[in-house]
Amino acid sequence: MVPLLELRGVTKRFGGVQALSQGDFVLNKGEIHFLVGANGCGKSTLSKIIVCALEKDSGEIFYKGKALNLSSPAEARRAGIAVVFQELSLIPDLTVQENMFLGSKNQGMLGFVDSKSQKKMCEKALARFKAVLSKDICPETPVTRLSTDERQIIEILKVLIREPEVLILDEATSSLHTTQVEILFNIVRELRDEGCSIILISHKMKELFEIGDRATIIRNGETVATVDLKSATHDEIVTHMVGEELSSSKNEEREISENVLLDVRNLSAHGLKDINFTLNRGEILGLSGLQGQGQSELLLTLFGNSSDFRGEVVLDNKSLGLKSPGHCVRDGLSYISGDRKKYGVFQIRSILENTALAYIRKKRVHLFSRKKLKISVLPILERLSLVYDSLDQSISNLSGGNQQKVIIGRWLMTEPKILLMDDPTKGVDIKTKEELYTLMKELCDAGVSILWNSSEDQEILKNTDRVLVLNEGRIVDELRGDRLSEYELYKAAMA
Amino acid sequence: MNTNSTKPRWLKIDWKERFRKTPYLLGIVIVILLMILLGIRNPKYLRFMSLSVKLKSWMPLLFAAFGQTFVILTGGIDLSQGTMIALVNVIVVQLVMYFEGSVQGIIIAVSAGILVGTAAGIINGLLLTRLRLQALITTYATGVIWKGLALAVMGEPGGKVPMSFYHFFSGKFLYIPVAVYLLGFSILLYFFLLKRGIITELKAVGGSTMAAFESGVNVNSKKVMAYGICGFFTALATLAIIGETISGSPLAGAGYELEAISSAAIGGASLSGGFGSPIGSLFGGVITRLINDIIFFYGIDVKYQQLMQGVIIILALSFGSLLAKSLSRRDK
């Protein structure tokens, strides 16, 4: 039997990162096929390549036995391959009906919009989810008035009314409630029985075994195995995902004081539920789990970015207000983001300005001499072993890793008690990464505590004393000592 | 529940829902309020004769605002509109004079004017999409070009157009002023585009360009189309101006672009794109002009006229934005 869709040796590179090194994938007609893998292993890349939202570097794609050459997602949809992406693609000010039919051909007389039949189709589609949508949703409701889960449903319906032969759902269930997921799965099963093939990307093992027929596991950009879900086990899949753990170089156990520095009690905020943990003085605490489970939200909330949090955060026996980043800086917190362009670096401005900024704000220096400022900056930059020509050099000329060093320097000048870091090594070269790890340990030995999140599972397992595993905004497990392994991490994260 | 049935009928209408579905409803309400204010001061103002003369003099702004709205819907802006009026103005007047005011000459001149306006708009659109330039600064620059071209065609105000031009625009057909027909034609054209799904696509481009592209909308061609439509209506605005002044001027239309944009905003259009209606902008234009008349008829000191005008525009705008805010909030 000729498979409906087949990928052979597909590769994709983003700059220096090989996102997909060997993509082989076979989709049969009338099956529900899962794509599983660790964070950043290339699942989404693979699905985006299928519909040409990304261009492949090499490899071949066959559809119904013929080579498939597309130039846009719209063209893929016309060929019968449709995708529901994680990022929502609805237009807020248009109505539900307008959004659903946007970009499709006018069906009415003389190429006019046949709004009556559109409305009927739209109502029919909405009726399927009637039980889980608010009652006042009709085809004329503008999308701005819908909640996130309702938008996700409209997004799915938008794709479904075009009756695709291959349907790709990229984490479509992550923003849905349980009852909504149930209805979606019923529809997915119906579609399969009608002969449609569905590719699902999901992190939830439960879903995998509930409706999946087969699953392809991707590890580090390589499709390593395809298993039949009727016979496969939970452990088998996790083992495929993690692979044989390379000489699990244990991180040396560090001595940590028993002195509790930060105590977070029953913290809830947007995307966070009931967070409880403590951070000791000089400890490196990691946040992990699948991406987007509340790690960034937790760091941002602790840095005063969430206006409506509940719970208590105690630093050094003093309850924190977390009113704004400014308040948090004065209380001894600091925040470093992996998205340097957006949250870190002031492009074009000099290294001096970029380093001294937070210091000036915290010390409330109103008048300062450039000379004095330079003198105070120098020891910090030396400690970071930053290589530069002069302090007046523009920061844009530095590499990503060195820019990150400057930003760390910016916060070290404020003598923080806690460093919050959200994926700080993103886009940083390997050598500088190692330097950063060493620096983190040095800082902690000097009494600073670090709470950080990373999208690279190995780096966080290697460079922390403890790891908190988050799932859907809750802490589900705490790993320490021998349990600091990828296997344990994924077992906890995907339960 | 029981109390509901005793309520009079007009209380049962879900006004929030009404306002949301017809964004220009607020414009209509403000127009009526201003009319009442004017009627109290000067009852003659509301006579049919006087209103039809007024409507004729409002036509240039109404067309300009109507056209500008298509561009605003896509998230763009056309600052070249004012000088585009000047360019079309001098071209039409020169051609009419060249053909010595003959009927064929007038037809040729008018067609040429409409073509030039539409082409100028399309050029704006092509520059923005092909070269990926910023709308604000690009249309400012092309605006300077249109002005330069206008000066090259006609160095100083002058020329004369046959009175038939004037009579046409202030004339009546079956007791109804010609201006009403022209506006009716514009509104018909709008509904034609609406029914072809083009308005939805323009809004989609303005609402979220990426999402529109992902949905298969040809974003660039829609942008060019919006600027072209804007140029077309700008040409109509120019013809209405010629009908009023019956002469040419390379300085005609100065400041119209900003008045048109502010009219569109008063009429409920969002300048960030994706929301609004050209019909709302017509009411916005009427409101802009009525404000001038109110200031005039209430005898406000000349010194304070501009001040008042600005304040009233701000009031009209904030009223609209507050309403929009309360409408987007979902009642639980």
Side-chain angles (χ1 to χ4, degrees), chain B residues 283-300:
Chain B
F283 290 107
V286 171
I287 291 167
T288 309
R289 287 292 179 253
L290 284 178
I291 289 172
N292 292 351
D293 284 349
I294 283 191
I295 288 168
F296 176 77
F297 281 111
Y298 276 76
I300 290 165

Side-chain angles (χ1 to χ4, degrees), chain A residues 4 136 162 164 188 331 363 429 445:
Chain A
L4 184 61
D136 58 345
R162 289 161 212 233
V188 166
D331 287 333
K363 295 279 169 202
D429 60 282
D445 289 339

Side-chain angles (χ1 to χ4, degrees), chain A residues 222-240:
Chain A
E222 204 176 318
T223 45
V224 286
T226 298
V227 296
D228 192 327
L229 287 169
K230 284 180 191 72
S231 54
T233 61
H234 188 292
D235 272 4
E236 194 183 334
I237 289 169
V238 175
T239 315
H240 276 306

Side-chain angles (χ1 to χ4, degrees), chain A residues 57-77:
Chain A
D57 292 341
S58 66
E60 290 170 299
I61 302 178
F62 296 94
Y63 181 53
K64 295 177 180 170
K66 274 181 255 161
L68 184 71
N69 288 305
L70 300 169
S71 58
S72 73
E75 209 175 291
R77 203 161 41 231

Side-chain angles (χ1 to χ4, degrees), chain A residues 197-215:
Chain A
S197 303
I198 299 105
I199 301 173
L200 280 159
I201 297 176
S202 172
H203 284 307
K204 293 173 190 152
M205 279 287 174
K206 208 178 118 247
E207 295 180 352
L208 211 71
F209 288 104
E210 192 185 330
I211 66 158
D213 295 319
R214 293 199 301 159

